[in-house]
Amino acid sequence: MVIAERAKKSKVAVDQQDSSSDDHIDAHLVLSIEKLQDLQDQLEKVNEEASDKVLEVEQKYNEIRRPVYVRRSEIIKSIPDFWLTAFLSHPALGDIVNEEDKKIFKYLDSLDVEDFKDVKSGYSITFNFKPNPYFEDTKLTKTFTFCDDETKITGTSIKWKEGMGSVNGVNHKKKGNKRPPSEESFFIWFNETKPKNILQGLPDQVAEIIKEDLWSNPLKYFNTEEDEEDSDADEDDYEDNTDDEDDEEEDDL
């Protein structure tokens, strides 16, 4: 009986000790998580401050870049078919410009991409055209406004001259959700104001390519053909030099 009592008391003591140990571990875990959350809150605050500072810098340099863009546009106007060449040379945009579009692009006077003043709430893309036989508008604009978790898209409703809308696929009845490739026109992009599949991609993707790639440095796409010609010429020179060296070696023999 005495031994049984001692064993019982020993078991109770062990159980109490285990329970106390578990409570200690739980308390330590809770404390660690609370400290970790405090540090995470501090990081979030720093990140918010950093985002505000980056935005301020971007706003400042947008104002500095603006007059440079204006001067660049003035020079581009003096270069025939600059934007047509740049669009056609671009690996993504060139695929969505059809034969009729090319004729219209010859009247494109300038392209402009402008962020909203606060930068973060949106931007607009504007195509300025000379008077042309295709539509009445001299300015076609597409605007992207970021509100909460959605993007509001607005675009110019093009006033096509008589018969020109049909030629450019505007009034064509689509078969299913896709238009035959030969009838796709870049200009239907202005009328698409909902993020959905179009031109084998999203309107937002077309805009982002124009804004982030083409607009930032259109010269690299305008110069593509010239660079290829230079490359071909260099290859021809290299082959000629190689042939000359081979001839000299044969003469030596």
Side-chain angles (χ1 to χ4, degrees):
M1 289 291 293
V2 174
I3 294 175
E5 282 294 325
R6 287 179 180 176
K8 185 176 179 180
K9 289 180 180 179
S10 177
K11 184 176 183 304
V12 171
V14 169
D15 290 343
Q16 290 176 342
Q17 184 177 1
D18 289 342
S19 176
S20 176
S21 178
D22 290 342
D23 291 342
H24 176 72
I25 292 174
D26 289 344
H28 180 72
L29 180 61
V30 169
L31 183 60
S32 295
I33 291 176
E34 288 178 348
K35 289 180 178 180
L36 189 60
Q37 185 61 55
D38 288 340
L39 291 173
Q40 194 62 43
D41 291 341
Q42 291 179 38
L43 285 173
E44 290 295 331
K45 184 177 180 181
V46 171
N47 289 338
E48 288 178 5
E49 292 176 357
S51 296
D52 291 340
K53 292 296 182 182
V54 168
L55 193 58
E56 289 176 10
V57 171
E58 187 62 28
Q59 290 169 346
K60 174 184 176 181
Y61 281 93
N62 261 4
E63 293 179 2
I64 295 173
R65 281 192 290 259
R66 194 67 202 159
V68 180
Y69 282 138
V70 171
R71 291 199 299 272
R72 187 184 73 176
S73 291
E74 291 302 318
I75 294 174
I76 287 176
K77 287 180 182 181
S78 67
I79 302 174
D81 297 335
F82 180 91
W83 286 113
L84 171 60
T85 303
F87 262 80
L88 293 179
S89 299
H90 194 282
L93 298 175
D95 290 338
I96 58 175
V97 177
N98 67 21
E99 291 302 317
E100 287 298 319
D101 294 338
K102 293 177 185 178
K103 299 175 185 177
I104 300 174
F105 264 81
K106 284 184 170 292
Y107 293 90
L108 181 58
D109 194 38
S110 65
L111 175 68
D112 188 34
V113 176
E114 187 170 10
D115 287 309
F116 291 177
K117 193 169 183 179
D118 66 353
V119 177
K120 64 181 180 179
S121 62
Y123 62 92
S124 64
I125 299 175
T126 302
F127 291 69
N128 297 297
F129 285 88
K130 300 172 185 176
N132 63 80
Y134 298 96
F135 42 71
E136 301 291 346
D137 313 88
T138 56
K139 180 184 293 187
L140 303 180
T141 302
K142 191 142 191 185
T143 302
F144 296 80
T145 305
F146 307 133
C147 358
D148 298 326
D149 294 329
E150 63 179 2
T151 300
K152 180 181 178 182
I153 306 172
T154 58
T156 299
S157 180
I158 302 175
K159 299 175 183 176
W160 295 97
K161 293 184 178 179
E162 187 174 356
M164 291 296 108
S166 296
V167 170
N168 289 279
V170 175
N171 298 324
H172 180 78
K173 291 183 179 179
K174 292 188 287 185
K175 297 178 181 179
N177 293 324
K178 292 192 68 177
R179 200 186 320 267
S182 61
E183 295 177 358
E184 289 179 349
S185 171
F186 171 80
F187 292 93
I188 63 174
W189 175 70
F190 287 96
N191 294 330
E192 293 293 335
T193 56
K194 293 181 180 179
K196 62 181 180 180
N197 287 330
I198 176 180
L199 303 178
Q200 299 177 347
L202 295 175
D204 306 56
Q205 291 177 336
V206 175
E208 285 298 310
I209 291 171
I210 294 174
K211 181 178 186 291
E212 301 298 338
D213 190 16
L214 182 68
W215 172 250
S216 62
N217 186 7
L219 191 58
K220 70 179 179 180
Y221 295 109
F222 180 79
N223 282 336
T224 299
E225 293 182 2
E226 182 178 329
D227 291 342
E228 290 177 353
E229 290 175 0
D230 290 342
S231 177
D232 291 340
D234 290 340
E235 288 180 4
D236 291 339
D237 291 341
Y238 174 76
E239 291 175 359
D240 291 340
N241 291 335
T242 302
D243 291 340
D244 291 341
E245 289 175 1
D246 290 341
D247 292 339
E248 289 177 2
E249 288 179 359
E250 290 178 0
D251 291 341
D252 291 339
L253 291 175

